[in-house]
């Protein structure tokens, strides 16, 4: 069965610090997708990134970067020079069998608090 | 603007009542989903639908029912059989087929039993 683990329940940093959110996943499929979502206090989940199992190229988008390593089943997310607006709950999710409307399996989320 | 609309934002239910949560999308997505979120937990799948007039149970379907009469709409009914319905409910949609596309979420409905 598929599983996503986000061991960090809550992280607090001071603005401008770099912060890495960890995500470890389990799946028996060779084809799967990984996602990161952000949930601000308003409640809506905002899509951040998608990565498929065949593409281990790491990605940088502005202050965000992602490190996908199949060897360790990890898909970590780093925010560089954090800002107060980054404060939110971040979810990592796994989707098997991407050709259908199969379910997303979510981790329990990491609450990030960025203070001045 | 395209998106997913959930209503109401807040809902209060008395013990023993059924309530229906609305979810409408204008993204022309085939697949729609309902998730439940409890404090400190991730999202858990209640039901999902890949096409009109068809839907499947998720991990925690007991005490819930859905319908998919139109592509744009996927209402969720929380029945009196759901013993602990107080939670935050999120509706999502996505395209199906091809690549593993992301799901887009509504702003959620917070249900409280009083």
């Amino acid at each position: 069965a598929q599983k996503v683990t986000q061991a960090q329940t809550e992280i607090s940093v001071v603005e401008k610090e770099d912060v890495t959110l960890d995500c470890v996943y389990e799946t028996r499929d060779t084809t799967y997708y990984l996602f990161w979502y952000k949930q601000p206090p308003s409640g809506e989940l905002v899509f951040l990134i998608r990565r498929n199992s065949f593409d281990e190229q790491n990605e940088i988008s502005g202050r965000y970067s992602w490190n996908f390593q199949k060897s360790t089943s990890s898909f970590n997310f780093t925010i560089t020079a954090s800002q107060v607006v980054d404060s939110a709950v971040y979810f990592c999710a796994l989707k098997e069998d991407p050709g259908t409307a199969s379910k997303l399996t979510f981790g329990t989320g990491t609450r990030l608090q960025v203070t001045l | 603007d395209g998106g997913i609309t959930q209503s109401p934002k807040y809902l209060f239910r008395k013990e023993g009542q059924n309530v229906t949560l609305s979810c409408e999308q204008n993204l022309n997505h085939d697949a729609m989903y309902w998730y439940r979120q409890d404090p400190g937990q991730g999202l858990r799948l209640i039901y999902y639908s890949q096409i009109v007039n068809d839907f499947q149970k998720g991990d925690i379907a007991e005490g819930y029912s859905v319908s998919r009469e139109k592509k744009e709409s996927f209402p969720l009914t929380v029945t009196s059989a759901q013993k602990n319905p107080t939670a935050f409910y999120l509706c999502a949609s996505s395209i199906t087929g091809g690549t593993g596309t992301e799901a887009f979420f509504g702003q959620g409905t917070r249900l409280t039993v009083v």
Side-chain angles (χ1 to χ4, degrees):
Chain A
Q2 55 190 21
K3 183 180 179 181
V4 176
T5 301
Q6 294 180 256
Q8 303 154 309
T9 304
E10 188 163 346
I11 300 175
S12 293
V13 299
V14 177
E15 201 175 39
K16 295 189 177 61
E17 286 186 13
D18 299 347
V19 57
T20 295
L21 309 182
D22 298 333
C23 173
V24 175
Y25 63 92
E26 297 176 26
T27 177
R28 294 180 181 176
D29 279 12
T30 57
T31 302
Y32 54 89
Y33 279 76
L34 296 162
F35 303 82
W36 275 96
Y37 283 88
K38 174 182 179 180
Q39 186 178 40
S42 61
E44 179 180 357
L45 263 73
V46 177
F47 166 73
L48 296 177
I49 191 171
R50 174 184 74 234
R51 176 67 69 232
N52 72 52
S53 53
F54 299 113
D55 182 6
E56 290 193 69
Q57 183 176 5
N58 294 318
E59 182 168 335
I60 298 175
S61 176
R63 296 185 297 108
Y64 297 166
S65 62
W66 290 270
N67 184 351
F68 174 35
Q69 293 192 337
K70 288 180 71 173
S71 61
T72 56
S73 297
S74 65
F75 185 43
N76 297 337
F77 170 38
T78 297
I79 302 175
T80 302
S82 60
Q83 300 176 1
V84 172
V85 293
D86 295 327
S87 297
V89 181
Y90 291 84
F91 290 96
C92 180
L94 167 69
K95 186 176 187 181
E96 295 175 334
D97 191 18
T100 69
S102 58
K103 65 177 183 177
L104 281 167
T105 297
F106 285 85
T108 52
T110 297
R111 181 177 299 277
L112 175 63
Q113 185 71 38
V114 182
T115 57
L116 293 172
Chain B
D1 289 347
I4 300 175
T5 301
Q6 289 187 242
S7 62
K9 189 172 183 178
Y10 298 96
L11 186 58
F12 296 90
R13 190 194 93 170
K14 292 183 179 180
E15 296 274 359
Q17 278 185 337
N18 292 355
V19 290
T20 297
L21 284 59
S22 171
C23 178
E24 303 277 334
Q25 55 99 358
N26 60 5
L27 300 169
N28 200 32
H29 287 168
D30 288 311
M32 296 187 74
Y33 314 78
W34 275 105
Y35 287 88
R36 169 178 171 145
Q37 184 178 20
D38 293 285
Q41 298 191 30
L43 280 68
R44 293 181 291 168
L45 183 66
I46 304 172
Y47 269 98
Y48 66 98
S49 168
Q50 299 185 58
I51 197 169
V52 173
N53 293 323
D54 183 63
F55 46 83
Q56 285 78 42
K57 292 181 179 180
D59 298 320
I60 55 167
E62 185 175 351
Y64 300 97
S65 66
V66 294
S67 63
R68 187 86 186 275
E69 298 178 1
K70 298 187 300 181
K71 186 175 185 178
E72 302 80 19
S73 179
F74 192 41
L76 173 74
T77 296
V78 184
T79 74
S80 57
Q82 170 51 237
K83 298 305 179 188
N84 185 22
T86 295
F88 188 53
Y89 292 87
L90 284 157
C91 178
S93 71
S94 71
I95 65 173
T96 56
T99 59
T101 56
E102 61 273 18
F104 293 89
F105 286 80
Q107 292 195 321
T109 293
R110 193 168 298 279
L111 174 63
T112 303
V113 174
V114 297

